[in-house]
Amino acid sequence: MSDDEDAPRTAKRTRIYYGSLEGQERQRMGREAGGGTKGGSAAIKAGIKAGNINISSGEFLEIEDRSASGPSGERQSDVLVEFERRRRARHLAISTDDSEVKGCLRRLGEPITLFGEGPADRRERLRAVLSVVGGDALSKSKKDAESSRPRPQDERQETWYHEGPASLKEARLWMAKFSLPRAVKRLDEARIQKEVSESARTIRQQELHKNLQNLNNFCSQIGDDRPISYCQFSPDSKMLATGSWSGLCKLWSVPDSQLVRTLRGHNTSVGAVVFRPGSTLSLEKSDVNLASCSTDGVVKLWNLQSDEPVADIEGHMSRVSRLAWHPSGRFLGTACYDNSWRLWDLELREEILHQEGHSKGVHDLHFHPDGSLALTGGLDAFGRLWDLRTGRCIMFLEGHLKEIYSVCFSPNGWHAATGSGDHTCKVWDLRTRKCIYTIAAHQNLLSSVRFQPTDGHFLLTGAYDNTAKAWSHPGWSPMKTLAGHEGKVMGVDISPDGGLIATCSYDRTFKLWLSE
């Protein structure tokens, strides 16, 4: 390093100027003029003349007016209005159905189509129109059209009924005579239970809950080569019927799970196979003991002596998802995807009721223990309670957000449960006609719900999250989770004596659960 670099550097002093340079220049020019420095003054004048020194002479320029009253402000407001319109357009929900888009344009008074315009262009044009007139313009125009539409004077606000056959009237009278004594018996048993002391009921409830908590897998059996869609115990609790997607229905002995009989007849997936009331108890083996349905709309009747069906029930044009026997065993109800359910009289061998009411397919139905009511659940997310003695819908079950896949009555006669695709199970009180509890039961859609058949002290639910769960009644608290299936649980059932629980699954197996 050199000596110059080693020398300490002197700090450069900064100069601070106050005021404008223009003022300082005027003062300097004044001092030079007073001191007689004519040469300096001439040099400055020469610099000013040459344009190298600029000194203002008090002139000023007006600033452009940007207020809203000026033309520039108007352009700015127009730009802001356009941005707001585009923002509203982005948040508008426009249907992708081209016919619906045309209908909206027609209600707004716009041409439904332009030359060379496609569905996407038409949809964007509707979006642009709604962003200008407002999203509520469609509802207003619809209300105006309805109000201006002439209404017939003879329009009546009352329920309209089909005229049914004489056999339907006879069947309704027969079901009324059948159900009334059963209702009296059920109420008498309820009064007897009410007289039991609170402590005795509590002790019994605790024992039942303890048995539920001790449920374990007793048996697991591969039931078919395809998923098993349904299972049900026989009335004597000694046999289990299963139906699968292969079209086969099988009968298994309980509790050793040995194959007893294979029922062959369906060509498509079996939706349900159910035992007739009195089967294995009072009915002969040669009588009709079972009924099954499939996705092609075929319903077959079976006895316990043959592998072939005894008879076929024809008339369904769409899928039959579920069927159920009336407690009398005389009538068979079928749930169909043509938005209706049907009632068949096996003594007359004919269809006596074709009941509509759902806006989408009916997936499940169940009969009241007395035989007076029928409960249906549909893909429209609604349930309906029907009085079989009058034909009226006496209760509308509204509350589920998705399809209802399973319905069930409680043995007490006034509770019903519905399982839905919204992952919940709702419990309904038929006396107050409202939902009394919503169970956030599973993490996937509920495929099946069942009340304990003797006294209904617990509720069993099966779902597509590969589990089945038991819930206490009353209280609806979780008591036991039955986990073990490797696929969706597609059906559950409880033996009539209350001792066994059966679950069937997409993994082609069924399992029996027993309290140790």
Side-chain angles (χ1 to χ4, degrees):
M1 298 176 64
S2 63
D3 296 338
D4 295 338
E5 293 177 349
D6 294 339
R9 298 181 180 180
T10 57
K12 185 177 181 181
R13 298 179 63 183
T14 59
R15 296 181 181 179
I16 302 175
Y17 298 94
Y18 296 94
S20 64
L21 295 177
E22 180 182 349
Q24 292 182 4
E25 187 65 23
R26 286 182 180 275
Q27 292 177 4
R28 190 177 64 79
M29 290 173 62
R31 287 196 300 270
E32 290 179 354
T37 56
K38 297 180 179 180
S41 176
I44 291 174
K45 291 180 180 180
I48 293 174
K49 185 177 181 181
N52 296 325
I53 299 176
N54 297 320
I55 299 177
S56 64
S57 59
E59 298 177 354
F60 63 91
L61 295 175
E62 293 184 358
I63 299 176
E64 183 180 359
D65 185 11
R66 294 183 179 271
S67 62
S69 59
S72 177
E74 293 179 358
R75 290 195 300 270
Q76 184 178 7
S77 62
D78 293 342
V79 171
L80 292 177
V81 170
E82 179 64 18
F83 272 115
E84 181 65 19
R85 187 193 68 79
R86 293 182 181 180
R87 186 189 66 80
R88 289 197 304 268
R90 286 195 301 269
H91 290 82
L92 287 174
I94 307 297
S95 174
T96 56
D97 187 0
D98 190 48
S99 59
E100 187 174 348
V101 171
K102 289 181 179 179
C104 294
L105 288 171
R106 181 179 290 109
R107 288 199 296 270
L108 292 173
E110 297 289 331
I112 63 173
T113 185
L114 299 178
F115 180 75
E117 185 181 49
D121 300 332
R122 191 177 300 111
R123 186 167 177 263
E124 291 304 318
R125 181 160 62 90
L126 175 61
R127 185 189 299 275
V129 172
L130 290 178
S131 66
V132 175
V133 300
D136 56 347
L138 282 175
S139 58
K140 291 181 180 178
S141 62
K142 186 175 182 180
K143 290 180 180 178
D144 295 341
E146 290 179 354
S147 60
S148 61
R149 184 184 304 166
R151 294 187 177 182
Q153 296 181 357
D154 58 346
E155 182 179 356
R156 300 176 181 177
Q157 299 295 331
E158 62 183 22
T159 306
W160 183 74
Y161 296 95
H162 288 279
E163 183 177 357
S167 59
L168 177 58
K169 180 180 178 180
E170 295 176 0
R172 293 196 190 282
L173 292 173
W174 191 93
M175 283 186 280
K177 295 177 181 179
F178 174 83
S179 62
L180 289 175
R182 292 172 65 94
V184 171
K185 181 180 178 181
R186 175 175 55 83
L187 293 176
D188 290 341
E189 293 176 354
R191 294 188 186 98
I192 295 174
Q193 291 294 327
K194 190 176 180 180
E195 295 176 356
V196 178
S197 64
E198 185 68 25
S199 60
R201 285 202 299 265
T202 303
I203 292 174
R204 185 172 182 275
Q205 194 76 11
Q206 290 176 353
E207 292 177 354
L208 295 174
H209 290 175
K210 185 177 179 181
N211 291 335
L212 280 178
Q213 293 171 354
N214 292 330
L215 281 172
N216 286 300
N217 186 10
F218 171 73
C219 176
S220 181
Q221 178 68 275
I222 298 176
D224 202 275
D225 297 334
R226 300 292 305 281
I228 301 178
S229 56
Y230 198 85
C231 63
Q232 189 187 52
F233 283 101
S234 62
D236 64 354
S237 303
K238 296 181 180 180
M239 199 178 299
L240 180 71
T242 61
S244 74
W245 284 11
S246 65
L248 298 178
C249 300
K250 296 183 180 182
L251 302 180
W252 306 83
S253 61
V254 173
D256 53 358
S257 300
Q258 297 297 319
L259 181 62
V260 176
R261 191 177 301 279
T262 301
L263 308 178
R264 308 174 188 274
H266 289 289
N267 297 321
T268 56
S269 303
V270 174
V273 51
V274 292
F275 281 95
R276 187 179 183 181
S279 174
T280 67
L281 293 176
S282 59
L283 292 178
E284 297 291 336
K285 290 186 176 182
S286 58
D287 294 337
V288 174
N289 282 261
L290 295 102
S292 61
C293 62
S294 59
T295 56
D296 57 0
V298 175
V299 177
K300 294 183 180 294
L301 304 178
W302 313 81
N303 60 21
L304 296 178
Q305 291 182 337
S306 173
D307 298 344
E308 301 295 329
V310 176
D312 292 352
I313 296 180
E314 300 177 352
H316 301 94
M317 304 304 295
S318 300
R319 171 186 174 182
V320 179
S321 55
R322 293 287 187 271
L323 44 78
W325 288 97
H326 187 266
S328 64
R330 174 180 173 179
F331 305 100
L332 179 67
T334 57
C336 189
Y337 269 33
D338 61 358
N339 307 355
S340 68
W341 65 278
R342 310 186 187 201
L343 192 65
W344 305 81
D345 190 337
L346 297 189
E347 289 188 1
L348 300 178
R349 298 182 181 180
E350 66 178 11
E351 174 190 308
I352 60 173
L353 177 63
H354 184 183
Q355 182 65 62
E356 299 176 343
H358 288 271
S359 60
K360 292 185 179 180
V362 182
H363 191 82
D364 195 15
L365 83 158
H366 193 239
F367 289 104
H368 192 273
D370 297 343
S372 57
L373 307 174
L375 179 62
T376 58
L379 303 181
D380 53 4
F382 299 124
R384 288 183 178 269
L385 183 64
W386 307 88
D387 189 342
L388 297 175
R389 299 162 296 186
T390 63
R392 295 180 179 179
C393 177
I394 59 176
M395 182 177 173
F396 187 66
L397 284 65
E398 181 180 10
H400 281 294
L401 303 179
K402 291 187 178 181
E403 304 86 352
I404 295 179
Y405 290 110
S406 184
V407 297
C408 186
F409 281 108
S410 172
N412 62 21
W414 64 80
H415 281 153
T418 55
S420 170
D422 59 8
H423 309 176
T424 65
C425 175
K426 288 184 179 292
V427 182
W428 309 81
D429 193 327
L430 306 185
R431 300 167 297 182
T432 59
R433 300 187 182 186
K434 64 180 182 180
C435 176
I436 60 174
Y437 201 84
T438 299
I439 306 174
H442 293 270
Q443 298 178 358
N444 209 326
L445 68 85
L446 271 72
S447 57
S448 183
V449 294
R450 289 290 182 272
F451 276 101
Q452 199 270 351
T454 56
D455 52 8
H457 69 271
F458 73 89
L459 174 67
L460 183 65
T461 60
Y464 276 18
D465 59 0
N466 303 357
T467 63
K469 295 182 180 181
W471 309 83
S472 64
H473 176 212
W476 316 112
S477 58
M479 302 303 299
K480 182 70 174 181
T481 298
L482 308 180
H485 283 290
E486 298 178 357
K488 313 166 190 175
V489 175
M490 306 183 71
V492 299
D493 195 33
I494 307 169
S495 62
D497 59 7
L500 285 171
I501 292 176
T503 58
C504 61
S505 171
Y506 190 84
D507 61 8
R508 303 171 297 145
T509 67
F510 68 88
K511 296 181 184 294
L512 300 181
W513 307 81
L514 179 66
S515 178
E516 294 182 353

